Amino acid sequence: MASVTSLSDSVQQRLASALSATLPEAAGADPLLRRSDRADFQANGILALAKKAGSNPRELATRVVAGVDSGDVIEDIEVSGPGFLNITVSDRAIVANLAARYADDTGRLGVPHAANPGTTVIDYAQPNVAKEMHVGHLRSAVIGDSVVQLLEFTGENVVRRHHIGDWGTQFGMLIQYLDEHPHELDHKDAQVTGEQAMSNLDRLYKAARRLFDSDEEFKTRARRRVVDLQAGDPKTLAMWQKFVDESKIYFFSVFEKLDMEIRDADIVGESGYNDMLAETCRLLEESGVAVRSEGALCVFFDDVKGPDGNPVPLIVQKSDGGYGYAATDLSAIRDRVFNLKANTLLYVVDARQALHFRMVFETARRAGWLNEDVKAQQLAFGTVLGKDGKPFKTREGETVRLVDLLDEAIERASAVVREKAQDLSEREIAERGAQVGIGAVKYADLSTSAIRDYKFDLDQMVSLNGDTSVYLQYAYARIQSILRKAGEVRPAAHPGLELAEAERTLGLHVDAFAETVREAAAEYAPHKLAAYLYQLASHYTSFYDKCPVLKAETPQLVENRLFLCDVTARTLHQGMALLGIRTPEKL
């Protein structure tokens, strides 16, 4: 199926052609077309061009209008004010464009693939081995997953990476304890739940910590064990692997609850780069990018200084020969650029790590691993706040467990679904409750610009009114209900019909889906898609209130309105899927 040119692109092309014919030196100039409340679109690029050419903007605008090839698309253009163009498209063009999108049997709604797709490695959802996932892990997973969906939908080759914390000195204590209590991670049952796996790890961690803090001899043995681990001692590595495997049982259960696909092959933790660390340091030192300072291998920056005014370096290798996060992150960049052949490296990481990544990226640029053709970018995100506007904690001041948070969201959503459900079984209520609850959590996160903090307020999130995913899910379910009630009457587009104002508004908005996806993918901005979908549901509600569907005056009008309902539903369904949110057929 060929892609469909959206109405705004079509109008844009027609204006650009007329503009370059009227003013040859303006060839390739942007007419600056925008949606408008004065007409369907407004173009205000002529003002700047006229100023540059030293001509009267209104006069130039009038000449451009005379040269526009309207085709079947443009109904009317008028020059307004100092040289704006107000453009109205024809009803026929709106319906014909939507019909072409509706006919796309790939389910893409005529959305084109990107012209020059590249390879993007996206680093997101990075929990730590042997540690519980908490509310701070939520945003990286949810934002990263949506950006993956958006990029893959536009045709980008996406490589997912989950850089889990699976290495470091804390493992010495855990491995030594397991060595001395060998059955602590044995499974009595064949099937272990994520909760059980976490509880095993948690129990072992606490016992090991108690011993480490109280027994000097155990502490010495634990520290020796770190040396064995780093030296690759097979027995030590085998015990370390047990912790990783047990943690993965838990991780996968949490990601499943979040309705996210995390594949084992994409989990490449800190340990995955161990073999590269020494060479990374050698390359940086030999090229002069890093220098020895007080025994440590450091990279210095003119603009990074401590409170005392002294430079704060990026430490790649400590003076005792150990490697820090910087060595691992720089090795990961080498792997992603030279082995995975990435053009873009994306890191969905908390904004508080911005300085670390700025220094790492600058080091990689100085080393020549990043350049004009290969860019790295941190997609930084803000903090999850409680209702009181402070970082989200339990009443006891503890960090909130992610599982508890998701369970509570599902519980609240199930209550909302049960209240509204007319003909749903208990099993269906539980299934829909999970889809609505998890959707509510994801949407609250994704409808906020990533860099901003947001308040985690479950009452607001599962509300049927306002900018929530439940509102969008109900709009979708309502359309499905109308389509079921229509029985034998099938949706069909009738481009010859005159459209009511609410139909036009809805139709133009549905047609803008492709450009919204393009923009959201290019800017790694799921919140732009979320805002579009909320508007779509709002325009649909307005259409539903003003334009009877099944009781419309003529059979053709019924079919056309059913068609508008169905193409809206398909757009909602596809848009929500790109945010990682389900759209139940019945609610």
Side-chain angles (χ1 to χ4, degrees), residues 215-329:
D215 181 337
E216 279 303 317
E217 289 182 352
F218 176 76
K219 190 182 271 190
T220 306
R221 293 198 297 278
R223 288 190 168 142
R224 264 204 301 262
R225 188 61 85 164
V226 177
V227 179
D228 294 343
L229 178 66
Q230 288 174 340
D233 168 57
K235 185 186 169 192
T236 303
L237 278 176
M239 278 189 286
W240 165 80
Q241 190 62 48
K242 276 191 170 180
F243 285 100
V244 176
D245 293 342
E246 193 79 6
S247 300
K248 281 184 180 178
I249 296 172
Y250 163 70
F251 295 158
F252 283 124
S253 74
V254 178
F255 289 124
E256 193 176 335
K257 189 165 279 194
L258 261 173
D259 197 12
M260 274 175 57
E261 183 201 31
I262 300 285
R263 302 178 297 223
D264 200 39
D266 301 330
I267 298 177
V268 183
E270 293 166 355
S271 64
Y273 306 100
N274 284 348
D275 295 348
M276 301 174 70
L277 301 177
E279 193 184 2
T280 295
C281 291
R282 183 179 64 74
L283 291 168
L284 292 172
E285 193 169 9
E286 283 179 3
S287 61
V289 172
V291 292
R292 291 278 164 193
S293 173
E294 296 174 29
L297 186 62
C298 302
V299 182
F300 288 93
F301 306 86
D302 294 338
D303 57 346
V304 184
K305 293 188 168 61
D308 54 5
N310 290 329
V312 176
L314 181 71
I315 299 173
V316 186
Q317 189 178 25
K318 299 174 208 160
S319 54
D320 65 3
Y323 300 104
Y325 290 125
T328 311
D329 287 335

Side-chain angles (χ1 to χ4, degrees), residues 44-211:
N44 45 25
I46 289 179
L47 296 175
L49 291 168
K51 196 173 173 186
K52 211 166 160 188
S55 54
N56 177 317
R58 241 191 110 82
E59 198 182 290
L60 177 60
T62 310
R63 281 165 53 211
V64 169
V65 169
V68 171
D69 168 18
S70 301
D72 293 336
V73 177
I74 298 175
E75 180 91 1
D76 182 53
I77 308 188
E78 60 167 36
V79 179
S80 109
F84 299 126
L85 299 182
N86 287 336
I87 300 131
T88 305
V89 294
S90 68
D91 290 353
R92 173 176 289 280
I94 294 174
V95 178
N97 242 38
L98 295 185
R101 295 192 180 288
Y102 191 71
D104 180 355
D105 52 11
T106 64
R108 290 182 60 81
L109 297 160
V111 177
H113 284 99
N116 301 304
T119 295
T120 295
V121 176
I122 175 164
D123 188 327
Y124 69 108
Q126 310 103 342
N128 292 312
V129 164
K131 285 194 183 155
E132 185 106 55
M133 287 175 73
H134 55 77
V135 67
H137 290 111
L138 179 67
R139 298 205 73 186
S140 174
V142 170
I143 295 166
D145 186 53
S146 180
V147 172
V148 166
Q149 305 302 331
L150 277 164
L151 291 175
E152 286 183 341
F153 189 69
T154 57
E156 182 76 356
N157 173 35
V158 179
V159 181
R160 311 163 190 211
R161 279 289 173 268
H162 309 294
H163 191 89
I164 64 172
D166 66 353
W167 203 249
T169 51
Q170 75 277 20
F171 283 101
M173 172 183 92
L174 295 172
I175 292 167
Q176 188 58 36
Y177 186 86
L178 186 62
D179 193 25
E180 295 173 19
H181 305 80
H183 300 297
E184 283 292 309
L185 287 182
D186 290 357
H187 293 160
K188 319 236 176 336
D189 312 318
Q191 279 307 97
V192 176
T193 66
E195 251 338 76
Q196 288 166 329
M198 192 63 241
S199 132
N200 286 342
L201 289 164
D202 196 44
R203 191 185 63 247
L204 193 146
Y205 185 88
K206 284 176 177 157
R209 183 89 244 176
R210 268 197 305 275
L211 204 54

Side-chain angles (χ1 to χ4, degrees), residues 9-67:
D9 281 351
S10 186
V11 170
Q12 171 103 356
Q13 287 160 11
R14 288 162 196 275
L15 288 182
S17 300
L19 195 54
S20 56
T22 311
L23 196 67
E25 62 267 37
D30 186 349
L32 298 180
L33 191 71
R34 302 282 175 273
R35 287 284 279 126
S36 165
D37 48 8
R38 306 267 164 104
D40 294 332
F41 298 101
Q42 185 173 72
N44 45 25
I46 289 179
L47 296 175
L49 291 168
K51 196 173 173 186
K52 211 166 160 188
S55 54
N56 177 317
R58 241 191 110 82
E59 198 182 290
L60 177 60
T62 310
R63 281 165 53 211
V64 169
V65 169

